[in-house]
Amino acid sequence: MSTLTIRLLAVPKAVPMLRYAVREHLGTDASPDAELCVSELLSNVIAHLGEGTPVTLRVTGRATRTRVELTDPDPRVWPVPRQATDAEESGRGLALLDAVALRWGVTQGARTKTVWCEL
């Protein structure tokens, strides 16, 4: 099984770099859903924990079965799905994740949490 691991700071300019890395790892045919999930997970860290938060992205597997994980250093702040209104510009990230992933969840560590999804 092939694994891509990237450690970085959660900043907006990292989103296209991560999407590119996922595309290179999985191939262009398999990557659109994984790229979307990576974008949403990183955007959630930026929005809820702040720019500059250290994170680790792991993408395991290939085209037929892929697991995307994003680990951050705050085990207390868990993602909470919500219903965004038509007028709101944000709040749809977890709904998108839920729509494209086979399943997703959160794993809590002693000093970290990992939000993951399987495609």
Side-chain angles (χ1 to χ4, degrees), residues 35-63:
E35 289 180 56
L36 174 66
C37 291
V38 166
S39 297
E40 294 304 327
L41 292 175
L42 187 61
S43 295
N44 278 348
V45 170
I46 293 167
H48 300 288
L49 298 181
E51 280 192 43
T53 301
V55 297
T56 302
L57 170 73
R58 276 182 215 79
V59 179
T60 308
R62 285 289 182 177

Side-chain angles (χ1 to χ4, degrees), residues 33-34 37 63-68 100-103 117-119:
D33 288 348
C37 291
T64 56
R65 184 68 148 196
T66 302
R67 183 176 173 103
V68 174
V100 300
L102 296 172
R103 62 189 192 128
C117 63
E118 294 178 351
L119 307 164

